[in-house]
Amino acid sequence: EVQLVQSGGGLVQVGGSLRLACTGSGFAFGDYVIGWFRQAPGKQREAVGCFSSSDGDTKYGESMKGRFTISGDNAKNTVYLQMDNVNFGDTAVYYCAAPTVPVAPLCRPNGMDYWGKGSQVTVFA
């Protein structure tokens, strides 16, 4: 069974940077897709982006490209979310997730089967 372990998160000042990591194990097909999603209070969960290990490609959610960078280290089965120039709107719980079959062309929450526990990111002035 796939397991996803998140690290990182916490408090970050407006304009600062933060990096989250998600390490996966138990992938049945060798290749994997790991996505990052976030959910702010009172809002729906939204996609930040999804990384595919087979080709190193990342698909970003709407308006996410620019301040967010997703990258992967296949040797460690780890995908990183680098957040730069954060603002108050980035305060949310950030989750990593993976589908059973390593294909996630639309990178949507309902396409994921396994989820990390979530990491709180809080932006302060």
Side-chain angles (χ1 to χ4, degrees):
E1 183 173 315
V2 174
Q3 292 189 329
L4 301 172
V5 178
Q6 296 183 221
S7 61
L11 298 173
V12 57
Q13 197 167 21
V14 169
S17 297
L18 196 67
R19 190 175 81 159
L20 306 180
C22 177
T23 299
S25 61
F27 296 112
F29 298 96
D31 287 331
Y32 58 87
V33 167
I34 290 180
W36 284 101
F37 300 84
R38 70 180 186 181
Q39 188 163 19
K43 295 188 176 181
Q44 288 188 332
R45 194 167 297 189
E46 61 179 345
V48 179
C50 289
F51 172 86
S52 174
S53 70
S54 61
D55 58 7
D57 185 44
T58 300
K59 293 181 175 63
Y60 289 93
E62 286 187 29
S63 74
M64 295 297 178
K65 198 169 185 178
R67 296 186 301 111
F68 296 98
T69 303
I70 294 173
S71 61
D73 183 340
N74 288 347
K76 299 179 180 179
N77 279 6
T78 299
V79 175
Y80 302 97
L81 171 61
Q82 176 70 36
M83 306 167 58
D84 296 313
N85 192 25
V86 299
N87 58 53
F88 293 120
D90 297 323
T91 294
V93 179
Y94 286 74
Y95 299 90
C96 64
T100 301
V101 178
V103 175
L106 298 179
C107 192
R108 290 179 176 172
N110 59 10
M112 302 293 141
D113 301 301
Y114 303 96
W115 290 85
K117 291 186 177 181
S119 300
Q120 176 69 48
V121 173
T122 302
V123 181
F124 67 96

